[in-house]
Each structure stands twice: as structure tokens, then as C-alpha cells.
């Protein structure tokens, strides 16, 4: 499931506007099958009557907001106009109204206050925000068949066993072209590094899965016997980690962004994903990305 969760996080963060609404609808149609979730599209002059999707059994209307550059003013306008605009058309069919957004870090205070003000006006708890975790919870409840349909490039366990140097080499080549900083602590890391960095169980699973292709990376560096090459790549990794850490991201978000950086701009096929997980696991184990627990004594 950890592989699918990471694939979900990728699409959640990388989709905007109509593409994000399509992704949201794909999830909801599978989470509420047999027509329980209904897509509502604009219909001539009638438009969509401020309804981006509807769950019949739960009498729930959705408003989807996913601009490339969200603003507090834009979100506030979307919430107020869609909520007040939908009531004349859907008042007899609505118990809940959900504002869906694609900001992985959550909503700002303006959004929360706007939603709370709507509930105060209605004298009822009717409006709620949905972010990444709310959608992730729906994804976690899907069948394996639905997950494969939603995320066809997610690798299988067999892919982790079968991947070889042919798939890993382009990833290392991409990293070797990265900017190399000076310094860096490249000592092997302690076994309790996962726990010390407060990485989630899901990320821990991904690092453990990557340990299999990581052996191929380790064998490669042993074969070429080029410590300078390995150290340069490790230092580029450490530099990118420090850059992300300074930005204030939590440990899981740092892992996500490191992974996207390693993937680069190439098409992310299942074998490419496996290679990336292997390279990440190798440099997690061998060099100083993420914090090193203090040594005893």
C-alpha cells in the first residue's frame, strides 16, 4: 500500500484545475460505486449550478479548488460563491458541503475562518474542508484492482526483484550531473535512523523495499571503485536534503521531494520507480541524508 500512497501523493500534488477535478472524480467514483457518486458537469447556460460532484447516499455536494497559484482571496471567493450559489439549486438535497483543495500542507486561516463563518450563518455544521489526508483515506479503502487502474505505473514486488543496472544507471547519471557542494558527513548511518527522523511507517516500508535494488547500486560502486564519483553524488544528495529541510518541510515531505528530484524529468515507468527507490535506499543507508542520531557516550 505504501507504493500506492506515494503514487497518490504525486498526483495530488502535481494535478491542477480540471486535471485535479478529474483525479478527484476518479477516486470518488471508485470509493462510492454504482452511481452513488455523480460527476456534475456544466450544461449549457445552466452551468453546473455550483456543484462539482455529488454523493447521493450522503447528500453531499463538493466544490473543487486546485489552481496552480492558490491565494487566500481566491480560496475565500471560491468558498463563498460556490456555497451560496449552490443553495438555491440544491438546498433540498444537501446535508454536507465539502471544499476540496490540493494543498498538501493544509488550509490557511482565511479558508478555515470562511468555512466556520458559513456554518455559523447556517446555524449548522454543514461545510467542511477536505485536503490530502481525506482523499488518501478514500484511496486506502479501494480494491487492488481499482488501485492498479488509478496508478498503472506503480511497480510490483516482482519489479523490485528484477530491476538491474540497466534501469538504475540513468538515475545515477542524473544524480552525477547534480551540483556538488563542499563538505558533508558521509559515514554509514545507524540502524535507528528511521525512528530518529520520525519517518512514517509508509516511508519506512519504501526504504525497506528499496533495499533490494540498493544492493545493485552498492555492487556498482564496488565494481567501478570510484570513491570520488560516489562521494560527489552523496554530497549532492546531502545538499538537496539540507535545502529541503531549511524550507520547513516535515520528514515525509522531504522524502517525497527527494524522490521527485531523483526521478528527474524522465517518464516514470514502473522500473524507473524501482530504480529511484533503490538509489534513495542506498544513499539513506550509506550517506548523511536525513538526520543522524547522536552517538552514545
Amino acid at each position: 500500500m505504501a507504493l500506492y500512497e506515494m503514487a497518490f501523493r504525486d498526483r495530488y500534488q502535481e494535478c491542477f484545475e480540471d486535471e485535479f477535478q478529474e483525479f478527484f472524480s476518479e477516486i470518488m467514483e471508485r470509493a462510492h460505486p454504482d452511481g452513488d457518486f455523480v460527476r456534475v458537469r456544466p450544461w449549457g447556460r445552466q452551468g453546473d449550478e455550483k456543484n462539482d460532484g455529488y454523493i447521493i447516499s450522503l447528500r453531499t455536494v463538493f466544490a473543487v479548488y486546485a489552481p496552480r497559484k492558490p491565494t487566500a482571496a481566491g480560496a475565500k471567493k471560491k468558498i463563498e460563491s460556490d456555497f451560496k450559489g449552490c443553495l438555491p439549486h440544491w438546498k433540498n438535497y444537501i446535508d454536507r458541503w465539502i471544499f476540496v483543495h490540493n494543498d498538501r500542507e493544509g488550509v490557511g486561516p482565511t479558508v478555515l475562518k470562511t468555512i466556520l463563518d458559513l456554518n455559523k450563518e447556517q446555524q449548522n455544521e454543514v461545510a467542511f474542508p477536505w485536503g490530502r489526508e481525506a482523499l488518501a483515506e478514500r484511496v486506502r479503502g479501494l480494491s487492488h484492482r481499482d488501485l492498479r487502474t488509478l496508478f498503472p505505473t506503480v511497480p510490483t514486488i516482482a519489479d523490485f526483484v528484477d530491476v538491474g543496472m540497466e534501469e538504475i544507471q540513468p538515475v545515477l547519471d542524473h544524480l552525477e550531473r547534480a551540483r556538488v557542494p563542499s563538505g558533508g558527513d558521509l559515514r554509514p548511518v545507524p540502524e535507528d535512523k528511521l525512528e530518529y527522523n520520525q519517518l512514517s511507517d509508509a516511508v519506512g516500508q519504501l526504504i525497506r523495499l528499496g533495499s533490494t535494488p540498493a544492493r545493485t547500486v552498492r555492487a556498482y560502486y564496488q565494481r567501478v571503485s570510484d570513491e570520488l564519483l560516489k562521494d560527489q553524488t552523496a554530497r549532492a544528495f546531502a545538499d538537496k536534503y539540507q535545502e529541503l529541510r531549511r524550507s520547513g518541510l516535515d520528514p515525509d515531505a522531504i522524502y517525497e521531494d527527494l524522490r521527485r528530484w531523483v526521478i528527474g524529468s524522465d517518464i516514470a515507468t514502473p522500473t524507473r520507480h524501482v530504480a529511484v527507490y533503490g538509489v534513495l535506499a542506498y544513499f539513506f543507508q550509506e550517506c548523511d541524508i536525513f538526520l543522524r542520531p547522536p552517538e552514545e557516550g
Side-chain angles (χ1 to χ4, degrees), residues 7-296:
F8 160 77
R9 291 185 176 203
D10 283 347
R11 285 194 65 184
Y12 179 88
Q13 185 171 333
E14 295 168 1
C15 291
F16 303 96
E17 300 170 350
D18 291 345
E19 187 181 0
F20 180 81
Q21 185 165 336
E22 173 68 19
F23 180 46
F24 163 77
S25 297
E26 289 175 355
I27 293 172
M28 297 305 291
E29 284 177 334
R30 288 166 174 80
H32 297 271
D34 301 325
D36 192 26
F37 174 82
V38 182
R39 299 181 188 225
V40 183
R41 68 176 181 85
W43 193 280
R45 288 187 175 183
Q46 187 179 10
D48 60 11
E49 297 181 342
K50 301 299 183 180
N51 186 338
D52 293 334
Y54 185 74
I55 299 178
I56 295 173
S57 64
L58 300 178
R59 292 167 52 89
T60 300
V61 170
F62 293 91
V64 180
Y65 178 74
R68 291 185 178 276
K69 296 182 178 179
T71 64
K76 179 179 173 66
K77 181 179 179 181
K78 170 72 174 178
I79 293 168
E80 292 178 339
S81 64
D82 275 33
F83 182 81
K84 295 174 182 178
C86 87
L87 289 181
H89 308 288
W90 304 99
K91 188 173 183 179
N92 294 330
Y93 310 97
I94 182 172
D95 290 332
R96 291 202 311 166
W97 183 88
I98 308 292
F99 174 72
V100 183
H101 64 87
N102 72 331
D103 191 328
R104 71 174 179 177
E105 296 181 25
V107 298
T110 299
V111 170
L112 179 58
K113 289 178 182 177
T114 304
I115 289 174
L116 294 176
D117 286 342
L118 292 179
N119 288 332
K120 186 176 181 180
E121 290 173 11
Q122 297 298 311
Q123 297 183 332
N124 193 12
E125 297 293 321
V126 61
F128 302 88
W130 269 20
R132 186 173 71 178
E133 185 55 32
L135 282 182
E137 191 62 30
R138 274 74 194 168
V139 170
R140 293 183 191 114
L142 297 180
S143 68
H144 185 262
R145 179 178 180 180
D146 283 338
L147 290 171
R148 289 300 301 171
T149 302
L150 275 173
F151 309 110
T153 64
V154 168
T156 65
I157 298 301
D159 292 325
F160 278 87
V161 175
D162 295 340
V163 74
M165 200 58 218
E166 181 180 353
E167 292 80 21
I168 290 174
Q169 188 67 61
V171 178
L172 295 178
D173 290 344
H174 164 67
L175 288 172
E176 287 158 11
R177 292 191 297 270
R179 182 171 64 88
V180 179
S182 60
D185 180 356
L186 307 180
R187 294 170 297 162
V189 299
E191 293 183 0
D192 59 346
K193 188 177 179 183
L194 277 172
E195 292 77 10
Y196 183 77
N197 281 276
Q198 298 181 328
L199 290 162
S200 68
D201 289 342
V203 170
Q205 289 177 37
L206 295 174
I207 292 174
R208 284 187 282 272
L209 273 172
S211 295
T212 299
R215 290 197 288 268
T216 302
V217 180
R218 186 171 291 105
Y220 164 75
Y221 281 126
Q222 290 173 347
R223 185 173 68 253
V224 298
S225 300
D226 193 336
E227 286 298 318
L228 176 61
L229 178 65
K230 184 180 76 171
D231 288 356
Q232 286 178 337
T233 306
R235 287 184 179 127
F237 243 125
D239 187 52
K240 185 65 179 178
Y241 166 73
Q242 292 296 340
E243 173 191 324
L244 294 171
R245 185 164 177 257
R246 285 192 297 269
S247 70
L249 295 175
D250 64 56
D252 277 15
I254 291 175
Y255 179 86
E256 291 174 38
D257 285 3
L258 276 174
R259 180 177 157 273
R260 293 189 186 94
W261 175 69
V262 176
I263 288 174
S265 58
D266 291 345
I267 297 174
T269 61
T271 53
R272 177 77 172 190
H273 281 299
V274 172
V276 168
Y277 284 123
V279 170
L280 273 170
Y282 173 78
F283 283 104
F284 181 88
Q285 296 161 1
E286 295 295 326
C287 75
D288 203 10
I289 58 171
F290 288 92
L291 298 178
R292 177 187 298 277
E295 296 179 4
E296 293 184 5

